[in-house]
Amino acid sequence: ITYRTLAQHNLTAFSLSGLVSLETMKVMLGELKTDPDFVWTHDRILFLHSDTDLSELRMEDFLDVKQAMINAFIDEEELRTMARPAYRVAVVCDKPLKAVAMKLFDALWKIDNPPLVEAGHFPKAPEALNWLRGETLPLSEFDEELRGLET
């Protein structure tokens, strides 16, 4: 998992490839927590590459990551009083089985009422960017993340 903050767009772009495990997700959370450029309420776009392997993740792992994210970035008072959704996540994934796994993670966020996160799932980057921003950001902003993905 790699990421890049695009401060000018209030956006963080994540690129997932290879084995994604509970451990790799927790390492990423640790990096985000110490990154002064990361703003947890900024929107996110996740690019799942064709070699992304989510096979080791269990539902409990998704719940652990959700709780770890909340613990890392939100105090209890803020969690009770903040506007929701706090941010949006666009997932770009052209592989149906991987999309299903990400939709399960999305469903865990929707348990909260109102949901803390709003997520959308898209087979192509332009649709994801349009949903996320209401306008299409230039794909050239994401050359790094799009390597190896069909656009």
Side-chain angles (χ1 to χ4, degrees), residues 96-114:
L97 286 176
K98 290 180 181 116
V100 167
M102 294 310 293
K103 286 179 182 179
L104 287 172
F105 190 46
D106 174 37
L108 294 175
W109 286 103
K110 289 182 177 173
I111 291 171
D112 303 319
N113 189 15

Side-chain angles (χ1 to χ4, degrees), residues 14 27 44 55 57 59 86 107 113 140:
F14 291 85
V27 166
R44 296 152 169 86
S55 65
L57 293 172
M59 187 61 73
N113 189 15
S140 59

Side-chain angles (χ1 to χ4, degrees), residues 18-81:
L19 180 64
V20 177
S21 65
L22 176 61
E23 183 62 30
T24 57
M25 290 195 296
K26 286 189 172 183
V27 166
M28 175 57 56
L29 278 175
E31 289 176 22
L32 293 172
K33 190 170 181 177
T34 61
D35 184 343
D37 295 327
F38 178 74
V39 178
W40 81 269
T41 54
H42 283 179
D43 290 339
R44 296 152 169 86
I45 185 165
L46 279 65
F47 296 92
L48 272 71
H49 290 261
S50 60
D51 69 338
T52 304
D53 180 357
L54 305 172
S55 65
E56 289 190 9
L57 293 172
R58 301 166 301 140
M59 187 61 73
E60 296 82 18
D61 296 336
F62 286 118
L63 285 167
D64 285 352
V65 169
K66 175 187 175 184
Q67 193 58 53
M69 288 176 66
I70 290 170
N71 294 344
F73 298 108
I74 312 168
D75 66 45
E76 286 185 36
E77 178 63 21
E78 184 179 18
L79 186 60
R80 280 194 302 277
T81 61

